[in-house]
Amino acid sequence: MSTDSYLTLAGPVRHEVEIKRSRFIGCLFPVTNIEQARDHIAELRHEFHDARHRPSAFVLGATRSTARTSDDGEPAGTAGAPMLQALLGHQQTYKSAADAVANAPQLSDILAVVVRYFGGIKLGAGGLTRAYGGTVTATLDTAPLLLRRRMQLLGVHLPLANAGTIEAALRTAGLTITSSTWTGTGEMLTIATNPTDSDSIHEQIIALSAGTAAIEPAGEQWIDQAI
């Protein structure tokens, strides 16, 4: 998996599926650490306190190096594992963000919880595996996703006299400005660029500012983009 970009959830999503009278409520959350995932799981335990099972699965990080599952009382391997596999195997149709960087990113920083209300008909191990994995897949199909990319930051100082005009020109040119701060001598912008584009962006800033902008490296940051 690429360590420079991946897909993640734009916001919480719920989707319900009925299978042989049992209700399966798929709940997805964007999360960036284990504590956030555990907090959401606890919230759902409280909200759906009368449900028989609330198994979960989550995966974290650019390399998806952290993953956890819980069957929450279902037979071992029939709930959490297929839910995790649904997250890991999700395929997305891309429409922009450079076709999601040549179709490379996979899904991460996401928690799935499926709440089950038993309908009186046993599904068996195979049926449970398909039901839990299928519910996560069906919920993902309704979920808005974002492309999360590791971007290089440039600190750009604009002179006070024409900072507003230059900033407007930079925005019109499509540059990604992540922050703006006014100082006694002008305006400090933070601009996010793809590492491979930093030289051309640098030249573009110099041209649009007629050589008046001072530019310096400002680290890197994960930036979310619509797809």
Side-chain angles (χ1 to χ4, degrees):
M1 180 180 179
S2 169
T3 59
D4 293 319
S5 62
Y6 59 96
L7 298 177
T8 193
L9 200 62
V13 177
R14 290 188 183 183
H15 180 72
E16 183 170 334
V17 177
E18 182 175 327
I19 302 173
K20 293 185 178 179
R21 299 181 184 176
S22 282
R23 294 172 59 203
F24 293 84
I25 305 171
C27 306
L28 301 178
F29 298 90
V31 292
T32 57
N33 56 60
I34 294 174
E35 290 71 23
Q36 286 182 357
R38 288 173 175 168
D39 287 345
H40 285 304
I41 293 169
E43 291 167 3
L44 292 179
R45 285 186 180 278
H46 177 74
E47 179 180 354
F48 296 102
H49 59 88
D50 56 340
R52 177 169 290 193
H53 304 287
R54 295 162 298 266
S56 60
F58 62 85
V59 59
L60 303 173
T63 60
R64 304 200 290 190
S65 58
T66 300
R68 301 284 190 277
T69 66
S70 168
D71 293 312
D72 195 42
E74 293 284 25
T78 63
M83 290 168 60
L84 178 61
Q85 189 55 48
L87 296 179
L88 296 178
H90 180 69
Q91 298 294 314
Q92 176 72 8
T93 300
Y94 308 99
K95 295 182 180 179
S96 59
D99 201 28
V101 192
N103 299 315
Q106 295 174 293
L107 192 62
S108 192
D109 285 356
I110 185 169
L111 161 70
V113 179
V114 176
V115 179
R116 182 191 181 192
Y117 284 94
F118 183 55
I121 300 176
K122 294 184 177 180
L123 302 182
L128 288 173
T129 298
R130 290 189 294 273
Y132 280 109
T135 298
V136 172
T137 297
T139 307
L140 282 169
D141 287 341
T142 72
L145 300 180
L146 298 170
L147 178 66
R148 181 164 290 166
R149 305 181 70 180
R150 191 196 306 272
M151 306 285 276
Q152 182 175 323
L153 301 180
L154 297 176
V156 180
H157 183 268
L158 304 179
L160 189 61
N162 54 357
T165 301
I166 298 172
E167 179 183 351
L170 296 175
R171 291 187 184 277
T172 300
L175 301 188
T176 303
I177 299 175
T178 63
S179 69
S180 171
T181 304
W182 286 92
T183 69
T185 59
E187 185 180 13
M188 177 61 75
L189 302 178
T190 302
I191 295 179
T193 76
N194 299 327
T196 56
D197 297 336
S198 61
D199 289 343
S200 63
I201 295 296
H202 191 284
E203 294 174 0
Q204 191 173 12
I205 295 169
I206 293 298
L208 290 171
S209 68
T212 61
I215 307 171
E216 61 183 9
E220 61 181 28
Q221 181 179 339
W222 288 97
I223 303 291
D224 291 341
Q225 298 177 300
I227 56 173

